Amino acid sequence: VDMILSHHGTKSFEQATAEGDIIIGGLFPIHESVNVTVNYDGSENQICDRFSTANLVQSLIMVQALEEINQKQELGNLTLGYLILDSCGDVTTALRKIPSFMKGNCNTSAQQSSPVLAVIGGYYSEIAIAVTRLLNLEYIPEISYGATSGLLSDKTRFPSFMRTVPQDDHQARAISEILDNNGWTWVGVLTTDGEYGRYITERLWYYTNQKGICFAFTSVLPDDLNDYSLGKSIESTVKTIIDNENVSVIVSFAKPDHMMYIFQKLLNDPQGTRRVWLASDIWSQSPEILNTKKHTLSDIGTIIGVTFKSGNTTKLERYLDDLDENPNHHKNNPFLSTFLKLHGLTSSEELKTMIYPSAVFSIELAVKAIAQAVEDLCTDRDCKTKRLSPLELRGALRKAKFHMDGKNYSFDPHGDLNAEYDIILWNQTSESLDVHDIVAHYIVLIMGNVTSKCTDSCQPGYSKTSVSGQPHCCYHVLKCLYCNSEKCNPCEKNYYSLKGSSKCLPRKIDFLKWGDVYLIVLLSFTSLGAVLTIVVGIIFLAHWNTPVVRSSVGPISILLLLSLMITFTSVILFGGPPNSYQCQARQVVFGLSFTLCVSCIMVKSFKIVLAFEFDPDTQNVLKKLYKPYLIIAVCMAGQVVIVTTWLVLSPPSTDSEITKDNMKLIFCNEKLIPAFGAMLAYIGLLALICFGVAYKGRKLPDSYNDAKFITFAMLIYFISWIMFGPVYVNVTDKYIPAVEMVVILISAYGILFCQFFTKCYIILCKKEANTEKSSKEYNTINIKKTFKSVKHLKTCKHLSAVL
């Protein structure tokens, strides 16, 4: 009987009908393929074959749900009728039959007492996409119980489509979670070249790729079961499965018939028992694909199915039990009539074995949705006399809130329903194959005894390296810095490990600490310099009106001492744990303070030039240009521009690097090196001017030898900073700041000693030389020695007056 039914075909557009005030269309793949033959005259004969008992039962779910509404009078005096067509699992055949739903709306036939207001079906996404485009010409809503392609959520392209099952994006995510939870990272994929297969495979790749799961192979089968290349595709797919011995898990989006052919050829494969098959909704509840009379489920392996939410099958089972006793149930249903004739008394039991609980839920829910929309529209109008239009029903469906089994449902703006998935595990009993054993909802299923990986997991103490031309799931295993039981990973931030070790140790943080002996020495010199600067300042203030202080330009000297004090203070900012504010402040404070220091010395140098210039005209011009505080302000302004640009564009900040001793070195990164260099170069330029001017006045009288000491101080500065460059570049550890600290101290001490210590010596130890009288006498004697030429006598008198 099964053989007769499987090859039973029909040429006519058979249809199951029942009259009612409102007609609901049904489109089911009662036959699953079409066999086309060409006549001598070029015409075609199309015969629907591959009769599907399961799909016949699905059409009866709709019939039972509609009859129950009528019996309970849920719509008052309104009755619901139906017109059920067979899509034969083929897009072209479905499109040829769809006008039967529409001719009532076009008023081209009087055979139907009422137009079809809505259609339940089709099951396959490819058919649903084509059908809903045609139905939308008359705004007829289509509610699918199985089409899951994400494309159908686009209401701009498919405004009349709705569904009572979740779209494939959710199913792909669910399957990826199952794979990830079980550590299956190397899997095979079977799919079809139809819309459903292409879309869900793409979405599965998207989610698995995020979880580090790879496809070992992807076999694409023809969606059309009568495709001439189907046999070769099955053979090729079976060979691919057998050749990939390390692939223990295969995800399949193929149709039930595809899987039946594949399993038949894999039954003798010795590796078959260890495989896990992840079945998509399209075949997860199709036990008929296995011939349990000859083989058992263990010959194939383990089958885990993802299926839609299951419904209550009790009412449907009672309905099917009544079919044999009441011939009125199949009087206008040629599909059912043919089945009953062939199966006789066992027909009810045969039909009950083909009940899919998920189909019960989704088809009944589609009927409930239509009934609720009709009720909403007909509450305040007589729908017997004033007929509803498909456009009205479509609008009502979008707003309808319907319920089933104690839960409320509604369509979202995309026409989708927020339903759930069940995870089922196929079980073999002594008499039959049970595919209704729900083991999880959505995804929490762990199969601990199955592994499917391209390469064994990285063991503690080893790492993985990629292999050219292979997916990232295939790799070589080498000794690594750190591994856990599943994946090889480097140690977390601030941790390290020895090579080949399985433990991560906390990484020590390194910087120039306050307790470091080198820093203590440098800070001691810094403190000493600051104290000496204060002492010198006190001495100068105490002897403010003496010739030595006045000849040193007292206010400028105090400003110079203040800048030296700030320079010594800036050295402290180079020690201790760095932070962003400290990194910015230390260079800015040093740059500005030392610029002020050199500017003050430059003003003193200019005074020497003024004193040494013998030409009266030039002398007058220099006197007008000699504005000490303006010169200092201009020099400082240049440095302010440089450091401001530095801070705005790319300010210094903290940075870190790992040293060869596996320590984390924290340091200040100057970032904009050109700005750092410009700051130092600017100070160097001012120092060079000082040096040039002071060198010119090196032959002034010995008692006022500032020029010589300025020259010597600038030489010390140049030598120390010239040495700084190569040392700073080559030092790479925590002592980098110490290099700059040393150079700053040398420069500051050089100026302090050369500019002030000789004057302090005269003030404190040679007080007789620090009087007006001795100063004038000494100067006159030295000037005459220096300038013996009568020609310069007038100039000598002028110089004596200046000094």
Side-chain angles (χ1 to χ4, degrees):
V1 173
D2 290 336
M3 184 67 69
I4 294 173
L5 270 176
S6 65
H7 292 283
H8 171 74
T10 176
K11 294 182 181 180
S12 63
F13 284 0
E14 292 181 326
Q15 57 189 34
T17 61
E19 293 186 355
D21 298 311
I22 295 174
I23 303 299
I24 308 301
L27 187 64
F28 297 88
I30 297 174
H31 292 84
E32 293 193 325
S33 63
V34 176
N35 187 17
V36 180
T37 58
V38 181
N39 299 323
Y40 291 109
D41 57 1
S43 60
E44 293 183 350
N45 289 328
Q46 293 187 345
I47 300 177
C48 295
D49 56 8
R50 299 179 189 274
F51 183 87
S52 172
T53 305
N55 292 335
L56 171 63
V57 171
Q58 291 173 12
S59 70
L60 295 177
I61 296 172
M62 172 180 164
V63 172
Q64 184 271 327
L66 291 172
E67 289 184 0
E68 182 182 27
I69 290 174
N70 292 336
Q71 290 171 2
K72 294 182 178 180
Q73 296 185 335
E74 293 181 11
L75 299 178
N77 61 348
L78 284 177
T79 57
L80 300 178
Y82 57 82
L83 171 60
I84 296 176
L85 301 178
D86 181 6
S87 70
C88 300
D90 178 65
V91 174
T92 303
T93 303
L95 290 176
R96 286 177 175 172
K97 295 184 178 183
I98 287 303
S100 298
F101 293 144
M102 304 170 68
K103 60 186 177 182
N105 299 322
C106 297
N107 295 319
T108 59
S109 173
Q111 293 179 357
Q112 294 176 219
S113 58
S114 300
V116 170
L117 293 185
V119 173
I120 295 176
Y123 179 70
Y124 300 116
S125 295
E126 194 134 351
I127 293 176
I129 288 173
V131 167
T132 191
R133 290 183 187 274
L134 190 57
L135 292 175
N136 190 53
L137 296 176
E138 296 185 7
Y139 310 108
I140 299 175
E142 176 187 10
I143 305 179
S144 175
Y145 64 95
T148 54
S149 172
L151 298 176
L152 289 163
S153 295
D154 185 352
K155 293 303 104 180
T156 303
R157 298 167 61 188
F158 307 104
S160 295
F161 181 83
M162 303 172 196
R163 54 185 158 201
T164 53
V165 290
Q167 64 136 304
D168 284 330
D169 186 77
H170 303 297
Q171 182 173 193
R173 185 183 300 177
I175 293 174
S176 70
E177 291 288 346
I178 294 175
L179 296 173
D180 187 47
N181 288 343
N182 288 279
W184 296 329
T185 58
W186 191 237
V187 300
V189 177
L190 307 185
T191 187
T192 66
D193 59 7
E195 184 58 50
Y196 167 81
R198 289 193 298 268
Y199 180 84
I200 195 169
T201 302
E202 186 275 327
R203 298 313 296 166
L204 179 65
W205 181 89
Y206 173 79
Y207 288 115
T208 54
N209 189 56
Q210 292 179 339
K211 299 178 182 299
I213 299 170
C214 302
F215 290 179
F217 60 84
T218 302
S219 293
V220 182
L221 300 167
D223 193 67
D224 184 357
L225 295 175
N226 282 327
D227 190 290
Y228 71 93
S229 64
L230 179 61
K232 290 183 178 179
S233 296
I234 295 294
E235 292 285 350
S236 175
T237 299
V238 170
K239 184 178 184 303
T240 300
I241 294 172
I242 294 174
D243 289 345
N244 285 269
E245 295 182 356
N246 60 340
V247 178
S248 301
V249 177
I250 299 175
V251 181
S252 174
F253 304 117
K255 289 182 176 180
D257 284 79
H258 292 137
M259 298 309 302
M260 179 178 65
Y261 299 144
I262 290 172
F263 284 159
Q264 286 174 355
K265 294 182 178 297
L266 285 175
L267 286 173
N268 296 323
D269 179 21
Q271 300 293 329
T273 57
R274 66 180 183 84
R275 289 193 186 98
V276 174
W277 298 85
L278 273 177
S280 71
D281 65 275
I282 203 168
W283 68 278
S284 59
Q285 289 188 313
S286 302
E288 68 274 11
I289 65 176
L290 281 180
N291 186 346
T292 55
K293 294 180 179 178
K294 295 182 179 179
H295 303 281
T296 63
L297 179 61
S298 60
D299 296 327
I300 295 299
T302 302
I303 298 180
I304 301 170
V306 179
T307 184
F308 305 128
K309 183 176 174 59
S310 300
N312 191 332
T313 62
T314 304
K315 291 182 290 186
L316 179 63
E317 290 173 354
R318 287 201 300 263
Y319 177 83
L320 297 177
D321 284 335
D322 293 338
L323 290 179
D324 293 336
E325 301 173 7
N326 190 350
N328 291 327
H329 279 135
H330 52 87
K331 180 175 60 177
N332 298 319
N333 191 334
F335 311 116
L336 179 58
S337 177
T338 302
F339 181 85
L340 293 176
K341 286 179 182 178
L342 293 173
H343 280 77
L345 297 177
T346 62
S347 56
S348 292
E349 294 303 319
E350 292 287 341
L351 291 172
K352 284 195 291 185
T353 60
M354 291 292 105
I355 294 176
Y356 296 174
S358 59
V360 173
F361 174 82
S362 54
I363 295 173
E364 280 191 3
L365 198 60
V367 174
K368 293 283 186 181
I370 295 172
Q372 185 61 53
V374 170
E375 182 180 350
D376 294 341
L377 290 170
C378 298
T379 300
D380 298 321
R381 76 189 258 188
D382 185 0
C383 292
K384 277 184 173 288
T385 58
K386 189 178 180 180
R387 289 185 175 182
L388 298 175
S389 69
L391 183 59
E392 287 180 303
L393 185 61
R394 190 180 76 176
L397 278 169
R398 290 176 176 175
K399 301 176 183 178
K401 297 186 183 300
F402 41 98
H403 62 276
M404 191 171 77
D405 298 333
K407 291 186 178 181
N408 296 323
Y409 299 93
S410 62
F411 295 109
D412 65 18
H414 302 289
D416 297 331
L417 201 71
N418 187 22
E420 301 173 352
Y421 285 106
D422 288 333
I423 310 299
I424 60 175
L425 180 65
W426 286 27
N427 287 323
Q428 179 78 54
T429 64
S430 57
E431 298 179 354
S432 64
L433 194 60
D434 181 14
V435 300
H436 303 155
D437 187 8
I438 299 175
V439 294
H441 293 284
Y442 194 44
I443 12 190
V444 226
L445 179 64
I446 305 296
M447 302 287 291
N449 59 340
V450 178
T451 59
S452 187
K453 297 179 180 181
C454 181
T455 308
D456 289 338
S457 299
C458 175
Q459 298 301 317
Y462 292 84
S463 66
K464 55 185 180 183
T465 57
S466 60
V467 181
S468 178
Q470 292 292 326
H472 60 84
C473 298
C474 301
Y475 47 84
H476 289 313
V477 177
L478 302 172
K479 280 190 175 182
C480 68
L481 292 181
Y482 174 68
C483 286
N484 59 27
S485 60
E486 291 296 332
K487 300 176 182 177
C488 291
N489 294 316
C491 291
E492 296 180 1
K493 188 177 180 181
N494 298 328
Y495 284 81
Y496 77 99
S497 176
L498 299 176
K499 189 173 183 179
S501 173
S502 61
K503 293 182 180 180
C504 281
L505 305 174
R507 195 184 299 278
K508 294 181 180 180
I509 297 176
D510 199 18
F511 54 87
L512 191 56
K513 298 180 175 63
W514 296 116
D516 192 289
V517 63
Y518 295 102
L519 183 57
I520 293 173
V521 172
L522 292 173
L523 292 179
S524 299
F525 278 102
T526 300
S527 302
L528 178 61
V531 171
L532 291 176
T533 302
I534 294 172
V535 171
V536 171
I538 294 173
I539 293 173
F540 265 55
L541 290 174
H543 300 83
W544 185 257
N545 293 317
T546 62
V548 172
V549 175
R550 289 204 309 274
S551 67
S552 298
V553 192
I556 299 299
S557 293
I558 295 301
L559 191 59
L560 175 57
L561 287 170
L562 178 62
S563 65
L564 283 175
M565 186 68 184
I566 299 174
T567 300
F568 280 119
T569 305
S570 70
V571 174
I572 301 174
L573 297 174
F574 286 81
N579 59 68
S580 295
Y581 295 111
Q582 179 185 342
C583 292
Q584 296 171 25
R586 70 181 192 178
Q587 297 294 1
V588 171
V589 172
F590 161 68
L592 294 177
S593 64
F594 209 75
T595 299
L596 178 60
C597 179
V598 178
S599 299
C600 292
I601 296 174
M602 187 169 64
V603 167
K604 298 178 72 174
S605 301
F606 285 159
K607 184 180 178 183
I608 296 172
V609 174
L610 182 62
F612 195 67
E613 182 55 57
F614 307 121
D615 182 58
D617 295 332
T618 306
Q619 185 81 32
N620 291 331
V621 174
L622 291 175
K623 282 184 177 180
K624 292 179 180 179
L625 295 177
Y626 183 65
K627 306 293 183 183
Y629 299 106
L630 180 60
I631 293 172
I632 293 173
V634 171
C635 293
M636 287 296 295
Q639 190 67 283
V640 168
V641 170
I642 293 174
V643 298
T644 302
T645 303
W646 187 5
L647 294 177
V648 170
L649 295 181
S650 183
S653 63
T654 56
D655 202 349
S656 64
E657 64 179 22
I658 306 304
T659 67
K660 60 183 179 181
D661 297 327
N662 281 315
M663 300 181 73
K664 182 179 181 181
L665 176 64
I666 301 177
F667 60 92
C668 287
N669 187 346
E670 314 304 345
K671 287 191 175 180
L672 200 60
I673 299 300
F676 181 41
M679 183 190 79
L680 297 179
Y682 185 78
I683 298 174
L685 176 63
L686 297 180
L688 189 62
I689 295 172
C690 293
F691 178 79
V693 173
Y695 184 78
K696 185 178 180 181
R698 68 190 183 283
K699 292 183 179 180
L700 278 178
D702 292 339
S703 60
Y704 295 97
N705 51 8
D706 263 8
K708 293 181 180 179
F709 288 114
I710 290 175
T711 303
F712 190 59
M714 293 302 101
L715 280 175
I716 294 174
Y717 168 80
F718 287 133
I719 293 172
S720 62
W721 282 97
I722 289 172
M723 293 173 59
F724 166 75
V727 175
Y728 185 82
V729 170
N730 288 287
V731 174
T732 57
D733 57 11
K734 64 181 178 180
Y735 293 109
I736 294 177
V739 176
E740 191 169 354
M741 293 171 71
V742 169
V743 177
I744 293 173
L745 288 174
I746 292 174
S747 302
Y749 270 108
I751 293 174
L752 183 63
F753 286 151
C754 295
Q755 286 292 299
F756 295 102
F757 275 29
T758 55
K759 294 177 177 58
C760 289
Y761 175 74
I762 294 173
I763 292 172
L764 298 177
C765 300
K766 289 191 175 184
K767 296 182 180 180
E768 67 279 3
N770 191 22
T771 62
E772 290 287 343
K773 181 179 179 181
S774 61
S775 176
K776 288 182 179 179
E777 292 176 352
Y778 190 80
N779 286 339
T780 302
I781 294 170
N782 281 281
I783 289 171
K784 288 179 178 179
K785 288 180 180 179
T786 307
F787 306 102
K788 295 179 180 180
S789 173
V790 177
K791 179 181 176 182
H792 293 157
L793 182 59
K794 183 179 178 180
T795 303
C796 294
K797 291 179 180 179
H798 163 72
L799 183 59
S800 178
V802 172
L803 294 172

